[in-house]
Amino acid sequence: MEIVILAVVIALVAVGLISGLVVSSRKKKQLPPSAPSSTPTLTPPAEPHVGEEAETPRDEARRTIEEVGLPGAGTPVEETPVVIEPEIPELEVPEPTAGRLVRLRARLARSQNSLGKGLLTLLSRDNLDEDTWEEIEDTLLTADVGVAPTQELVERLRERVRVLGTRTPDELRTLLREELVTLLGPDFDRTVKTEGGEATPGVVMVVGVNGTGKTTTTGKLARVLVADGRSVVLGAADTFRAAAADQLQTWGERVGARTVRGPEGGDPASIAFDAVKEGIAEGADVVLIDTAGRLHTKTGLMDELGKVKRVVEKHGPLDEILLVLDATTGQNGLVQARVFAEVVDITGIVLTKLDGTAKGGIVIAVQRELGVPVKLIGLGEGPDDLAPFEPGAFVDALIGD
Ligand code: GDP
């Protein structure tokens, strides 16, 4: 008899376990499908509420045992329900963009003393003889201003100093400021275009040799745009450098920008295409595409970037192609600029690492070289150390105002 009761109890427990599994698997199917790994969702998982937990096989089994009244089962221990808080990434609020260059001017002033202050000291000499003018020229060349712009500047300064006759330090500073600002092309339109089409987001492609700060700049630019109230999708099309996609995704997550990525070594063009598609689907304002810049051969680079551009343009025209150059690489940076300009139509330059070089004159040289304005400058490794380039504020940082 006892054996029969035991067999019934075991059978009931087994039935309970099976039905519990069915319940739980049915509930799982009702969950919304999780986002594909290539497009991590920012939506937190639905919060479990007290009293609404799914029944577990264990609950079912326990009830069955209680109903049967198995001796020794007793009253079930009261379990306090555990509410698991979903992990909501805390979004950062980037610094406002306006006035960043002024805020970061100390970084420039520190590294550019030899240019601005050096020029002022030389110009203040009582006797502006040939040797002094040569020294002025050398100072400009050392700061990577470039030969032609240096000669222009020295000629104009000589002429104006001659006309001026007596020179007070204030007059000299004003003079030098005006001439440097003129050389920087104050009339260039330096806005980063992100308007896009009627139903398409603005699309910005970021190109440059690896190591120049391309991915960092893409991340910082996302913050600039978010600070200006725009929504951003990032395209991790630098599939060559292993960590680039992770790096970009981290930048994006900090400000709530979704990153579209593919497998390592995958096709950059298809990722770029998908990123814009995602941008359109979620109604984003801007899509930023980070690309790989391997200068192995010009043809290779041309093939790769050309393809990314063509494929992206199936969605609509690109708004900007920004070339990232490392200011510390001097003349080498100019060579890179030339190669990239032959491969794609650069619409703006981002000069990075200006905080770590006294060669700020590269701003002038590279604009001359490409006929394209420097739109943004990198002044440090911090997340908001990217500033819109303003010639007046830049020169003031060089020579003090
Ligand atoms: P990528 O290979 O071109 O994508 O280069 P990364 O974005 O990985 O940057 C290379 C290094 O340059 C990183 O250590 C960055 O933190 C650093 N970097 C980027 N921009 C700046 C800048 O404006 N100033 C300084 N000091 N470092 C920078």
Side-chain angles (χ1 to χ4, degrees):
M1 185 60 183
E2 274 171 16
I3 292 171
V4 173
I5 292 173
L6 200 59
V8 167
V9 169
I10 290 169
L12 283 170
V13 169
V15 166
L17 277 171
I18 290 165
S19 66
L21 283 174
V22 170
V23 169
S24 101
S25 75
R26 198 183 308 134
K27 295 226 164 174
K28 228 183 236 150
K29 273 192 202 130
Q30 284 163 358
L31 288 175
S34 59
S37 62
S38 65
T39 54
T41 175
L42 287 167
T43 320
E47 200 171 334
H49 293 289
V50 184
E52 281 183 16
E53 306 115 302
E55 277 180 326
T56 65
R58 208 169 130 238
D59 296 331
E60 291 274 318
R62 191 174 58 197
R63 192 176 315 130
T64 313
I65 291 169
E66 282 160 27
E67 278 162 13
V68 172
L70 191 71
T75 332
V77 184
E78 269 299 307
E79 280 182 21
T80 327
V82 182
V83 180
I84 301 159
E85 290 296 336
E87 271 187 44
I88 302 171
E90 209 166 293
L91 296 188
E92 295 176 14
V93 180
E95 270 180 29
T97 323
R100 273 197 195 183
L101 182 48
V102 174
R103 270 200 302 283
L104 295 168
R105 59 180 290 166
R107 308 259 175 96
L108 266 179
R110 256 202 317 270
S111 57
Q112 309 289 335
N113 270 352
S114 57
L115 181 58
K117 300 270 161 47
L119 288 177
L120 272 181
T121 313
L122 287 167
L123 282 170
S124 307
R125 282 189 188 165
D126 286 339
N127 184 16
L128 279 175
D129 55 15
E130 276 311 311
D131 285 349
T132 308
W133 284 113
E134 252 174 51
E135 278 183 62
I136 290 173
E137 240 179 60
D138 287 347
T139 307
L140 289 162
L141 290 173
T142 311
D144 269 347
V145 170
V147 178
T150 294
Q151 282 168 354
E152 272 173 42
L153 183 67
V154 169
E155 250 167 56
R156 290 179 61 90
L157 281 174
R158 282 186 91 145
E159 175 64 15
R160 290 188 68 181
V161 165
R162 196 180 55 78
V163 171
L164 205 63
T166 53
R167 305 157 275 133
T168 65
D170 268 357
E171 280 171 336
L172 283 178
R173 174 172 281 114
T174 311
L175 194 83
L176 184 61
R177 185 184 190 280
E178 280 174 14
E179 292 303 333
L180 284 172
V181 170
T182 305
L183 218 53
L184 284 167
D187 299 331
F188 271 127
D189 178 3
R190 296 176 200 271
T191 37
V192 177
K193 306 268 184 317
T194 54
E195 290 314 308
E198 248 173 46
T200 51
V203 181
V204 178
M205 193 167 142
V206 184
V207 304
V209 171
N210 284 347
T212 53
K214 203 166 29 64
T215 305
T216 309
T217 297
T218 311
K220 287 177 179 173
L221 182 54
R223 295 177 70 91
V224 165
L225 292 163
V226 169
D228 290 343
R230 324 289 308 281
S231 60
V232 177
V233 166
L234 297 169
D238 179 356
T239 55
F240 179 68
R241 190 161 64 84
D246 287 341
Q247 201 183 323
L248 193 66
Q249 187 169 338
T250 306
W251 278 100
E253 279 167 358
R254 291 168 73 173
V255 288
R258 191 191 297 269
T259 301
V260 175
R261 50 188 295 182
E264 198 181 315
D267 177 24
S270 78
I271 294 166
F273 182 83
D274 286 349
V276 180
K277 200 166 109 188
E278 175 64 29
I280 295 169
E282 64 178 68
D285 294 319
V286 189
V287 177
L288 300 179
I289 299 166
D290 183 24
T291 61
R294 283 171 295 160
L295 265 183
H296 45 319
T297 61
K298 202 165 88 186
T299 338
L301 182 77
M302 197 169 322
D303 286 352
E304 189 164 303
L305 288 184
K307 188 173 165 205
V308 171
K309 182 170 179 281
R310 272 195 313 281
V311 166
V312 164
E313 281 176 341
K314 288 185 181 168
H315 291 295
L318 277 162
D319 293 70
E320 289 271 3
I321 302 182
L322 295 177
L323 171 65
V324 179
L325 289 179
D326 177 342
T328 64
T329 59
Q331 294 304 311
N332 202 2
L334 286 183
V335 176
Q336 292 168 19
R338 234 169 269 149
V339 174
F340 274 89
E342 280 176 42
V343 174
V344 277
D345 297 327
I346 308 294
T347 56
I349 298 156
V350 184
L351 215 49
T352 60
K353 310 187 195 179
L354 264 172
D355 52 308
T357 175
K359 296 180 175 294
I362 191 83
V363 178
I364 295 165
V366 74
Q367 288 188 153
R368 280 289 174 104
E369 182 73 38
L370 301 190
V372 167
V374 170
K375 295 194 167 178
L376 297 159
I377 54 175
L379 289 165
E381 294 192 80
D384 292 327
D385 293 345
L386 182 75
F389 183 68
E390 301 157 52
F394 183 77
V395 173
D396 286 342
L398 297 191
I399 60 174
D401 52 357

